[in-house]
Amino acid sequence: MKSLVILISGRGSNMQALLEAGFQADRITVISNNPNATGLEIARKYGAKTIVIDHRTFPDRQTFDTALAEKIDACQPKLIALAGFMRILSDRFVQRYQGRLMNIHPSLLPAFPGLGTHARALQEGIKIHGCTVHFVTAQLDHGPVVIQAAIPVLPEDTEETLAARVLQQEHRIYPQAVRWFMEDQIRFTENHVEVIDSSVREIALYSPGLPE
Ligand code: GAR
């Protein structure tokens, strides 16, 4: 059985991109730690099963993580995809799902882990920004990278315009990464992820662009 669990906390646009991708998954379950997450409504519209585990009703991180793990295990997922899940997970939780816990982050990791990635990118004056899908390790927003997308930072960019263009790319690369995993196209070699069917090579993005 190929079951997929998606964890969300809010808007759920990456979750929607995953639901639209039409994976070969027998069952998709969306779990939110936030009862008011707008993504829950979207998930129901797509026919996914939804579960809410409100972290505020638990005395500490460990008991929340234990309850979350119970719900996840009941789904017997091949993969757990964090899609805007804004809770730090305990080491024990991360270890339990090592190698099948994926995350999407709005920067080219290891640059800009944490929050406010687009504002920090603008502040640093970098010319190329983007997003990363990676396997989760005990270190926040860190771990073996599956796929990244890069976009140029334009002189007129604001935090909002940059966030919007990065988000477009998130919606492209996350379904791709999850598909590779669900179809066993990913192999781990030490701390690296090898994509078996990768056909894209030798592409470069220059920002500013080079003259012809
Ligand atoms: C996305 O941009 C995702 O990359 C980010 O939260 C947003 C959630 O949006 N995740 C992180 O920052 C994780 N460190 P969404 O709910 O519309 O997918």
Side-chain angles (χ1 to χ4, degrees):
M1 185 168 77
K2 281 188 182 179
S3 149
L4 171 67
V5 166
I6 306 172
L7 302 187
I8 63 166
S9 296
R11 183 175 56 183
S13 73
N14 275 293
M15 171 210 72
Q16 184 172 349
L18 295 180
L19 293 175
E20 280 172 0
F23 301 120
Q24 286 178 349
D26 303 323
R27 191 155 38 90
I28 301 184
T29 308
V30 172
I31 303 179
S32 174
N33 66 305
N34 169 15
N36 302 316
T38 51
L40 283 169
E41 198 48 49
I42 300 170
R44 287 184 201 114
K45 261 205 317 235
Y46 280 80
K49 183 182 172 196
T50 57
I51 296 173
V52 173
I53 312 176
D54 187 345
H55 66 275
R56 291 168 305 185
T57 62
F58 292 85
D60 52 41
R61 190 176 304 283
Q62 197 56 61
T63 47
F64 169 75
D65 281 5
T66 303
L68 179 60
E70 272 172 22
K71 295 287 184 198
I72 290 173
D73 290 349
C75 301
Q76 295 182 290
K78 182 175 170 78
L79 178 70
I80 302 122
L82 309 183
F85 186 69
M86 302 314 243
R87 295 281 305 162
I88 291 174
L89 294 162
S90 60
D91 288 0
R92 203 194 297 176
F93 183 95
V94 170
Q95 258 162 29
R96 183 188 186 96
Y97 300 110
Q98 203 170 22
R100 54 193 187 109
L101 189 58
M102 238 184 223
N103 183 40
I104 178 118
H105 182 75
S107 76
L108 290 172
L109 291 174
F112 310 125
L115 298 173
T117 57
H118 309 304
R120 283 151 66 205
L122 288 174
Q123 209 166 22
E124 292 292 341
I126 60 167
K127 304 291 189 203
I128 295 175
H129 186 39
C131 47
T132 303
V133 176
H134 66 100
F135 285 97
V136 176
T137 58
Q139 199 178 335
L140 179 71
D141 295 328
H142 194 271
V145 171
V146 180
I147 184 170
Q148 295 183 301
I151 59 159
V153 179
L154 306 176
E156 64 272 25
D157 262 329
T158 63
E159 197 179 333
E160 288 71 33
T161 59
L162 199 51
R165 292 210 316 291
V166 169
L167 191 64
Q168 273 180 358
Q169 298 308 315
E170 293 184 39
H171 296 165
R172 291 185 65 191
I173 64 170
Y174 210 7
Q176 179 64 78
V178 170
R179 183 179 303 284
W180 280 330
F181 189 90
M182 297 302 278
E183 295 178 359
D184 298 315
Q185 297 290 322
I186 282 175
R187 202 160 40 207
F188 286 94
T189 38
E190 291 179 11
N191 201 31
H192 296 276
V193 178
E194 190 190 338
V195 176
I196 298 159
D197 90 339
S198 175
S199 54
V200 185
R201 302 194 188 275
E202 292 185 36
I203 287 178
L205 168 67
Y206 298 93
S207 177
L210 295 179
E212 293 280 307

